[in-house]
Amino acid sequence: MNRSRCPVLLLTIVLSAGCVSSRTVPLAKTVAMRGQEVATAALAFYDDVDATVVRDKSHQDFVRILLLPPGSPFPDKKAEDFSEQLKARRAAYKALKSAYGSYQAIADSTAPADVAQATAGLADAANTLGRGVQITDQAKSLLGTVSTKLVEAQRSRNLRKHNEAFVELVNAYRTVWLDDVSAWRDFLTGVEVSYSSAVAGIPPTSLDAGKIGMLVTEPVASDRKIPVYQLQLINAERARIAASEEKMRTVTRALDALVAAHSALASDKPSAADVLQASNQILQIMAKE
Amino acid sequence: MTREEMQKQLLTSIRQYNVRAAAVLAKAMVEGGPDRVAELEAQYDALRTAYFDLVRARLDENNLEFESLLRQTSDASVAIDASLSKLESSAKVLNAIADATNLARRILDVAKV
């Protein structure tokens, strides 16, 4: 512990646990920034789900116009509503983002009031995750551990203890995220299959061969231009879906690295190399997106 | 059969219907006019919504007994594929989709209990 940062009065025995090594503070701040970025990436994925819902409705209407026989009613397909599921998850990740703001305050703070306020922010993230999303027993157990760690951290006002709490908190987020991954993948697959199979079924008579001939630049016979155009529509949608899946994988990997960063900070003698390695890994994962 | 397998089956039915939709819907127009077309499309919508409702239910983590209903739904879903591959009358296709959708609905009703 760097004594130069500690109050000198006897009274500060109570506060001295709030003092942290001058080496650890910048590392903790770096991890706090990465944590905010990971939470932002998760929120961006949920925005992507919203955009996919809107696109799906538009695509369904478009292909129906081309599939329905003349004289059919005009299609107005219902948009698949995931707003309730998204609402709970967004609240959880907003709370996590805010918790990282609190974490920065904990790293900076020597004043008990600030620490108490910051710890409350961390507790809020844990409570929001537990309340908003239907979670598995494993996640419940992890959140139970977060509460215990938070009580310890609050009592000791110690950055290392807060990191122990963050290890559990981010682990709980990671567990809940992984529980969702296959369902979101199925959502994306449902959207992709609904569109691509309908595009494949569009009869050539519903399309303007002349216009498509100008759009398709591949050197194929004119009677092959319509299927090539259909393939282009399908491939464009598959690329959008693949991009969404990649966003999801990015968050999964980044959450793993975030747990590693907090674990390194929570050790008795935090290794700057380990923390920075985990932090850089998050940066690399995000950059690939 | 698991819920995930049921979803795969519904997805197969959606795919099978769509790739043949133009022919099935043209036949429906001849056999029953715009009302039959609308009915068929409403059933397709219900089939698709059933698929997405199962996804939503998974997100909501409803852990209830699904197995027997899943099996029945799967059978109905397979019947849709069989009807479509033979391009049977639009009424038969309609009934097969309705069976699958109703069973998927029952799965979701059970999940809500």
Side-chain angles (χ1 to χ4, degrees), chain A residues 45-176:
Chain A
F45 172 72
Y46 296 138
D47 288 345
D48 216 53
V49 170
D50 263 343
T52 305
V53 166
V54 172
R55 191 176 72 243
D56 175 61
K57 192 260 185 283
S58 167
H59 275 172
Q60 288 303 301
D61 286 340
F62 171 72
V63 290
R64 257 45 221 177
I65 288 170
L66 301 176
L67 289 173
L68 290 165
S72 303
F74 191 81
D76 182 17
K77 297 294 185 191
K78 181 174 80 71
E80 286 302 329
D81 186 5
F82 281 83
S83 56
E84 274 307 305
Q85 288 72 25
L86 289 172
K87 189 176 161 189
R89 285 158 177 81
R90 277 194 174 113
Y93 277 92
K94 278 179 185 165
L96 183 65
K97 199 173 169 179
S98 154
Y100 274 104
S102 304
Y103 178 71
Q104 277 186 311
I106 293 167
D108 277 336
S109 178
T110 52
D114 290 349
V115 174
Q117 195 181 357
T119 309
L122 191 55
D124 188 44
N127 290 335
T128 308
L129 182 66
R131 194 176 53 240
V133 182
Q134 298 284 329
I135 56 174
T136 59
D137 290 344
Q138 193 193 352
K140 268 181 204 156
S141 157
L142 282 165
L143 282 174
T145 315
V146 177
S147 302
T148 310
K149 297 282 180 191
L150 276 176
V151 170
E152 285 176 25
Q154 199 159 19
R155 192 180 299 135
S156 64
R157 298 196 177 93
N158 180 296
L159 188 58
R160 188 170 69 80
K161 291 283 180 194
H162 276 96
N163 271 297
E164 287 178 4
F166 258 101
V167 169
E168 304 303 329
L169 180 67
V170 179
N171 243 330
Y173 269 80
R174 182 181 163 277
T175 302
V176 174

Side-chain angles (χ1 to χ4, degrees), chain A residues 104-269:
Chain A
Q104 277 186 311
I106 293 167
D108 277 336
S109 178
T110 52
D114 290 349
V115 174
Q117 195 181 357
T119 309
L122 191 55
D124 188 44
N127 290 335
T128 308
L129 182 66
R131 194 176 53 240
V133 182
Q134 298 284 329
I135 56 174
T136 59
D137 290 344
Q138 193 193 352
K140 268 181 204 156
S141 157
L142 282 165
L143 282 174
T145 315
V146 177
S147 302
T148 310
K149 297 282 180 191
L150 276 176
V151 170
E152 285 176 25
Q154 199 159 19
R155 192 180 299 135
S156 64
R157 298 196 177 93
N158 180 296
L159 188 58
R160 188 170 69 80
K161 291 283 180 194
H162 276 96
N163 271 297
E164 287 178 4
F166 258 101
V167 169
E168 304 303 329
L169 180 67
V170 179
N171 243 330
Y173 269 80
R174 182 181 163 277
T175 302
V176 174
W177 179 268
L178 288 176
D179 284 344
D180 273 0
V181 162
S182 70
W184 286 128
R185 194 174 293 131
D186 285 346
F187 158 74
L188 294 168
T189 303
V191 168
E192 190 269 310
V193 166
S194 297
Y195 180 65
S196 60
S197 57
V199 167
I202 296 171
T205 49
S206 292
L207 296 165
D208 183 333
K211 286 267 169 64
I212 285 172
M214 287 187 277
L215 288 172
V216 175
T217 53
E218 279 84 355
V220 296
S222 55
D223 66 335
R224 304 298 153 124
K225 295 225 169 185
I226 286 181
V228 168
Y229 175 69
Q230 287 168 300
L231 185 64
Q232 286 175 351
L233 292 180
I234 291 167
N235 285 343
E237 179 60 11
R238 283 183 181 156
R240 285 186 283 264
I241 295 293
S244 295
E245 286 181 344
E246 186 53 33
K247 278 185 184 169
M248 201 161 50
R249 278 193 292 273
T250 294
V251 175
T252 305
R253 287 194 291 259
L255 284 169
D256 286 344
L258 199 53
V259 172
H262 284 297
S263 297
L265 276 170
S267 65
D268 287 340
K269 290 181 181 171

